[in-house]
Amino acid sequence: MSTRKISPLGFMTVLFTAHFLAPAGLPAQSISSRPEPPVPSASTLIVPQARSFAVPRPGYAQVIGVEAGVQIVEQVATTILDIHLSNPGGSRLEAELVVPVPDGAVVRGFSFQGAGSEPTARILPKEEARRTYEAIVRQLRDPAILEFLGYHWIRTSVFPVEPRGTQQVRLIYEHLLPADGNRLDYILPRSESVEYNVPWRVSVKIKSSRPISTAYSPSHKIDTVRLSPEEVSVRIAEDAVAEPGPFRLSYLLEEKGLAASLLAYPDPRLGGGYFLLLAGLPARPAAGFPGAPLKREVTLVLDRSGSMSGEKIEQVREAALQVIGGLENGEAFNVIVFNETVEAFSPEPVIKTEETYQKARAYLKGVSPRSGTNIHDALLEALRPKPVAGMVPIVLFLTDGLPTVGQTSEAAIRDVALKANPYQRRIFTFGVGVDVNSPLLERIAYETRATATFVLPKENVEVKVGQVFKKLSGPILADPRLEFAPSSPEVSSITRIREVIPPKLPDLFEGDQLVVLGQYAGEKPVTFILRGNYLGQERAFQFTFGFDKATARNAYVPRLWASRKIALLVDAIRQLRVEAPSSPGLVAAPGLPDPRIKELIDEIVRLSTEFGILTEYTSFLALEGTDLTRKEAVVAEAHKNFKERAVECRSGLGSVNQDVNSQAQKAQSHLNVGNRYYDQNMNRVAITTVQQVCDRAFYQKKGRWVDSRVVDKEKELQPRKVIEFGSEEYRRLAEELIAEGRQGCLALRGDVLLVAGGEPVLVKAPAEK
C-alpha cells in the first residue's frame, strides 16, 4: 500500500508535441471572426483537468494552479478559468489549451499575458473532435484524456510560455444549468485520478429571483455564506483545493417550508438502487407564518477536577461566558460544575437577562479546580430538570479526564444519556486533551443528535466551544423524523425503502441541510414525509419522488452510503467493549474471530473492498502483498486490527483519532476519494493504491489496476480476453464505457483488469516509446 501525508500543493505536467486536439461535440463557435491561425508543428497541448501525461519529448510546462470563478444568474453559469503555467525549461514553449466543458457551453472570452493579435477559442465540432482525439491517443499512447470523452471541448489558439517563466491564461465560457424540479446542478470537469493534486480554488456566486434554500456539493468540502435570501456564495474549502475529481454543486430553490430533491443510482442487484435525499431550510420563514426560530435552553457542564488547573480552567470560564453571552435575552441557561461532587449555579435553568448573566459571571469566577472526576453524577444532574417550555434543551459537556469517582463504568455512564434522558436533551461533548474516554463522549453525542469535539493539546478550549456554539444558532426544525408512504395503496413503502442513514436525524439550525442516504427497491415513486417541530409548531412536509432518473453518473450516491454504513459497523464493534467488559479479548478460539463480531467484520471487508473505501482498520487491503482472495486471512487481519485498536484502545491520542474519524465518516456528505483519515498520531494520511473511478473501484495489485468486483475472486483474476491499447477492440470497449459513463476506467495509468460485458477483461497499457 502506498500512503502519504497530505501536502497542500502540487503541480501537474501535461504536455506533448502534437498537431492535434481533443474530443467534443457541438457546432464550432469562436469569439473572433478572424480565421484561426495555423497550429505550429511543435505546439504543446495542455489539458488542465487531466492527470500527467508521459512526455514524448524534452521540454514541458507545469500547470501549477487554477482559479475558477463562477457566476450563476438564474439558470446561466459563467465560468472564468485562470490557469497558471510554469516553464522550468530553457527554451520558449508554444502552447495551446484544450479544456473539457459541459454540454451546451459557449465561449465568451480567451486571453493570456502579453497577447498581441486577438486570441481565439472555439468549441470543436463533433467529427473533428473524434478524429483528433483518435490521433492524439495514437501519437501519445496515453489514455489519460479518455475520462473526458463525452464532454465537449474548447480549443484555444497558440500562446507562448517563456523559458523559466510563467504564464496566466484566462478562459471564459457559459452554459445553461440542467434543472430537476427545484434543483439545479453545476459541474466543473476534473480528473478523478489520485495522482492529480493541482490546487483548484473554486468560488461560486449564485443569484436567483427566488430564494435559495441550500447549496450542496457531493464531491468536495465547501464553505457557504448566505449574502441574502436570493444570493449565496460558495467556495471549495482551503483544505480541499487539491482534492481530485469533478467539482459538483447542486442548489435548491426555496419552496413552502422545506425544499427537497432526490438523486438516485440504479443497482440491479438491489432490485432498485441507492438514493440521496437532500433537504434545505427556507432562507426566511414564509410571509405570514407565525413561527420564529426556536429558543434554546443551554446547560453548561464543566469539569473542575484537579487536572483542569491553570490555563485549562481559564479557557473553560471564558468559553462558558462566551456561550451565555451569545444567548438571546429570553433564552435559558444553567451552569453545573463537577469534580468528585456536583454543584449547580441554579437548581433549574434560568432565563437569560443582564442580571442573571452577571450572576453567572460571578459564579464562574469562583470556580476552582481540585480532586477527582464524577462524570456519571454530573451528567445525571444535567439531564434531570424539566426544560423550559417551548425551548430546545441543549447540554454542553466539557471534561478533560476519565471518570475516577462514583460510578466509573463506561456502560453505566453511557446509559445515563440513553436511558435517563427523559426530555431528550442534546448532549454536545467536549474532550479537553487526550486523557478522555473518547468513544464514550462520541457515543453520548451521536445518540442524542449532537456532536463530539476534541480539544487537542495546545488548542484553545474557548475557540473550539465557540465554533460549535456558533452552529447552534436559530433552531428551525427540532426532533425531525423521516417516514415513507407508498405512492399508491397497492405498493408498500416498508420494503421499498431500507438501510436509511442516519437512523436518527439531527436537529436543523440556521444554514443547515439534511443529507439522507439509503436503498430503494422498484421504480414507482415514493412519498417521503419529514415531521418535526418547525418554528415552534408540529409540521409534516411531504415530497414524492420517482426513481426514473436514476443514473450511473450519480456514482457518489452509493459510495457515500457505503462510507456511512462502514462507520456504523465500526462503531458497533467499538461499543462491544461496553457491552461485554469482561471479554478476555473477543476471541472465541485461537486465531478465530469472536462470532459476535465476525458478521460485522465480514460486512465491513465486503463493503470496503467493493467500494474502495478504506479506514485505518482496513487500509491493509491496499497493500501490494495482501491477497484478497484469501478471505479467511483477510478477515483474521481485520479482526486483529479491530481488537487492538477499536475495542481495546479507549483513551489517549490513539483513541481520539478513531472517534474523530468515526464522527466524520458517519456524517459524511462529500466524497473522500483519497481515503484520507487521521492515523493514531493524528497525522492526516491518504491511500494512493486504491482508485475510485466513476462507480468502480480499482486496486493496484501485481503491477496492474484490478476491478474490485474480481479482486477477491481467484478464478476471475485470469482475464477471459486481452485487449491491446489502440486496437479496434479497444475503440469498441471505449465506446461502450462512454455510453455507460464509465470511460474513466480506461484512463488509469498501466494495465487495467476490469469487468466488461460480464467478464474480466485485461486492457494492456501502451508500450512506452
Side-chain angles (χ1 to χ4, degrees):
M1 174 184 66
S2 175
T3 62
R4 58 184 173 88
K5 293 185 179 180
I6 305 304
S7 172
L9 292 178
F11 63 82
M12 174 188 65
T13 306
V14 270
L15 320 79
F16 48 86
T17 302
H19 301 271
F20 308 107
L21 304 163
L26 271 191
Q29 300 180 31
S30 176
I31 62 169
S32 172
S33 58
R34 299 182 184 184
E36 187 178 355
V39 180
S41 61
S43 62
T44 293
L45 288 179
I46 299 176
V47 185
Q49 291 101 323
R51 68 161 172 81
S52 304
F53 289 108
V55 181
R57 68 175 177 85
Y60 58 91
Q62 296 169 358
V63 178
I64 55 177
V66 179
E67 284 134 29
V70 185
Q71 294 275 350
I72 301 174
V73 180
E74 301 305 339
Q75 204 173 337
V76 178
T78 302
T79 301
I80 304 173
L81 296 179
D82 287 322
I83 301 160
H84 300 269
L85 306 171
S86 171
N87 176 9
S91 58
R92 187 189 206 204
L93 292 175
E94 298 291 331
E96 294 176 81
L97 206 61
V98 182
V99 179
V101 294
D103 292 355
V106 178
V107 180
R108 291 300 185 209
F110 169 62
S111 63
F112 56 87
Q113 290 176 340
S117 60
E118 186 177 357
T120 62
R122 66 188 180 102
I123 300 286
L124 290 182
K126 185 176 181 180
E127 291 307 314
E128 179 186 352
R130 175 63 59 187
R131 291 193 305 271
T132 54
Y133 155 71
E134 290 176 352
I136 288 173
V137 171
R138 284 196 301 270
Q139 178 170 340
L140 292 180
R141 303 191 64 75
D142 190 310
I145 61 172
L146 259 173
E147 64 181 307
F148 299 112
L149 284 180
Y151 286 105
H152 298 292
W153 290 70
I154 292 174
R155 165 197 173 183
T156 73
S157 55
V158 176
F159 56 87
V161 188
E162 301 298 338
R164 298 182 182 85
T166 60
Q167 176 63 277
Q168 179 177 326
V169 180
R170 169 168 284 192
L171 178 66
I172 305 172
Y173 64 88
E174 287 182 356
H175 73 290
L176 193 67
L177 299 186
D180 184 355
N182 65 329
R183 190 190 79 241
L184 289 94
D185 301 317
Y186 174 86
I187 186 169
L188 184 59
R190 294 167 68 224
S191 174
E192 290 185 285
S193 173
V194 292
E195 298 178 40
Y196 188 89
N197 60 356
V198 174
W200 280 61
R201 287 176 167 80
V202 181
S203 61
V204 184
K205 184 171 285 188
I206 307 167
K207 293 182 179 180
S208 173
S209 58
R210 290 172 57 186
I212 299 164
S213 173
T214 193
Y216 165 68
S217 173
S219 62
H220 290 77
K221 178 182 176 183
I222 59 174
D223 295 327
T224 304
V225 176
R226 180 175 292 281
L227 305 175
S228 74
E230 296 80 20
E231 189 173 357
V232 171
S233 176
V234 174
R235 69 178 180 87
I236 292 182
E238 188 59 31
D239 58 354
V241 296
E243 291 291 309
F247 173 63
R248 300 177 184 273
L249 181 69
S250 296
Y251 64 95
L252 303 184
L253 297 177
E254 191 173 303
E255 296 180 338
K256 292 181 179 179
L258 271 66
S261 187
L262 187 105
L263 297 121
Y265 170 92
D267 190 335
R269 297 172 301 175
L270 301 178
Y274 298 87
F275 72 85
L276 183 155
L277 176 68
L278 173 65
L281 298 168
R284 57 191 170 199
F289 189 81
L294 298 165
K295 292 184 177 181
R296 299 162 292 178
E297 177 205 277
V298 178
T299 301
L300 290 144
V301 185
L302 312 176
D303 186 343
R304 64 161 181 176
S305 60
S307 57
M308 288 290 292
S309 60
E311 188 177 38
K312 281 185 187 178
I313 196 66
E314 292 300 327
Q315 291 181 1
V316 166
R317 282 197 195 98
E318 291 303 315
L321 289 172
Q322 180 186 39
V323 169
I324 298 170
L327 292 171
E328 299 290 335
N329 284 338
E331 294 187 305
F333 74 92
N334 201 0
V335 180
I336 294 173
V337 295
F338 69 96
N339 45 25
E340 76 278 10
T341 61
V342 180
E343 298 176 4
F345 166 69
S346 172
E348 308 289 341
V350 299
I351 300 300
K352 185 206 169 183
T353 63
E354 181 61 25
E355 180 184 1
T356 55
Y357 172 72
Q358 292 301 332
K359 286 183 177 179
R361 187 182 190 91
Y363 178 80
L364 287 165
K365 187 176 181 180
V367 172
S368 59
R370 63 177 187 276
S371 303
T373 307
N374 190 341
I375 291 177
H376 179 276
D377 289 359
L379 193 56
L380 197 62
E381 178 60 23
L383 303 180
R384 175 192 57 78
K386 185 176 181 179
V388 178
M391 295 193 184
V392 178
I394 296 169
V395 173
L396 304 183
F397 191 99
L398 285 79
T399 183
D400 79 330
L402 302 170
T404 59
V405 177
Q407 177 58 267
T408 60
S409 161
E410 182 177 339
I413 296 171
R414 183 200 63 183
D415 285 347
V416 170
L418 304 186
K419 301 176 182 178
N421 188 5
Y423 305 110
Q424 302 301 304
R425 281 181 163 86
R426 291 75 168 153
I427 308 172
F428 291 83
T429 58
F430 296 82
V432 181
V434 297
D435 296 325
V436 294
N437 187 322
S438 61
L440 172 62
L441 298 181
E442 201 276 335
R443 184 70 171 182
I444 287 173
Y446 184 74
E447 292 292 343
T448 60
R449 294 185 168 146
T451 58
T453 301
F454 297 97
V455 186
L456 299 180
K458 298 183 180 180
E459 290 185 332
N460 189 290
V461 178
E462 182 183 357
V463 170
K464 283 294 190 80
V465 173
Q467 289 171 346
V468 172
F469 185 67
K470 183 179 179 181
K471 297 176 183 177
L472 303 181
S473 63
I476 304 295
L477 183 67
D479 302 309
R481 292 99 60 201
L482 190 60
E483 301 171 2
F484 312 99
S487 56
S488 58
E490 68 275 8
V491 181
S492 170
S493 64
I494 297 175
T495 57
R496 294 203 54 209
I497 300 296
R498 55 181 181 257
E499 295 283 358
V500 176
I501 306 174
K504 184 182 291 186
L505 304 184
D507 297 321
L508 297 183
F509 295 81
E510 286 181 2
D512 279 350
Q513 59 190 203
L514 184 65
V515 178
V516 178
L517 294 144
Q519 298 176 353
Y520 70 91
E523 297 180 354
K524 292 187 177 181
V526 168
T527 297
F528 295 77
I529 306 171
L530 184 59
R531 301 184 187 275
N533 181 346
Y534 177 71
L535 297 174
Q537 297 185 13
E538 189 66 23
R539 290 284 301 275
F541 302 94
Q542 291 195 102
F543 310 96
T544 299
F545 297 112
F547 301 98
D548 54 311
K549 294 182 180 178
T551 170
R553 289 174 173 81
N554 291 339
Y556 53 85
V557 174
R559 189 158 279 127
L560 289 173
W561 175 87
S563 188
R564 287 189 182 184
K565 182 66 175 180
I566 290 169
L568 291 177
L569 295 169
V570 170
D571 192 52
I573 293 175
R574 197 141 164 75
Q575 293 303 314
L576 280 175
R577 175 64 177 270
V578 183
E579 303 296 340
S582 61
S583 171
L586 294 177
V587 178
L592 296 177
D594 185 291
R596 293 170 300 170
I597 64 171
K598 183 179 185 306
E599 186 177 273
L600 297 173
I601 291 176
D602 285 347
E603 184 65 1
I604 289 171
V605 170
R606 184 189 72 81
L607 290 171
S608 298
T609 303
E610 177 182 347
F611 290 96
I613 298 170
L614 305 186
T615 64
E616 62 174 300
Y617 316 105
T618 55
S619 59
F620 72 93
L621 297 175
L623 289 170
E624 178 67 35
T626 299
D627 184 350
L628 298 182
T629 66
R630 298 180 61 210
K631 296 186 179 180
E632 287 188 4
V634 168
V635 170
E637 179 69 17
H639 176 267
K640 173 177 174 289
N641 292 342
F642 280 113
K643 173 182 175 293
E644 293 177 355
R645 297 282 296 125
V647 177
E648 300 296 337
C649 186
R650 315 300 288 180
S651 64
L653 193 61
S655 178
V656 168
N657 87 288
Q658 295 182 69
D659 292 295
V660 169
N661 292 332
S662 172
Q663 184 166 248
Q665 195 169 346
K666 283 191 288 190
Q668 187 176 334
S669 60
H670 57 81
L671 293 175
N672 179 12
V673 175
N675 281 304
R676 289 163 171 78
Y677 62 85
Y678 289 101
D679 68 12
Q680 58 190 4
N681 297 312
M682 285 301 289
N683 293 316
R684 191 76 163 152
V685 297
I687 296 172
T688 59
T689 49
V690 173
Q691 175 71 65
Q692 300 171 5
V693 180
C694 307
D695 59 349
R696 305 281 179 88
F698 292 85
Y699 289 74
Q700 202 167 67
K701 299 288 183 182
K702 297 181 180 179
R704 64 175 62 160
W705 289 103
V706 182
D707 195 322
S708 67
R709 290 174 297 173
V710 297
V711 74
D712 59 348
K713 299 174 178 62
E714 186 172 6
K715 291 182 180 179
E716 296 187 29
L717 287 175
Q718 300 302 317
R720 305 285 193 276
K721 185 188 299 183
V722 177
I723 296 178
E724 295 292 336
F725 175 85
S727 66
E728 181 61 24
E729 243 184 332
Y730 182 91
R731 188 190 66 77
R732 287 198 299 268
L733 176 60
E735 292 284 356
E736 292 171 8
L737 292 175
I738 290 169
E740 298 171 357
R742 297 185 172 107
Q743 62 270 28
C745 297
L746 293 181
L748 295 167
R749 192 193 302 277
D751 292 354
V752 180
L753 179 66
L754 77 158
V755 177
E759 62 180 10
V761 174
L762 179 63
V763 179
K764 296 290 289 182
E768 293 187 9
K769 291 184 178 181

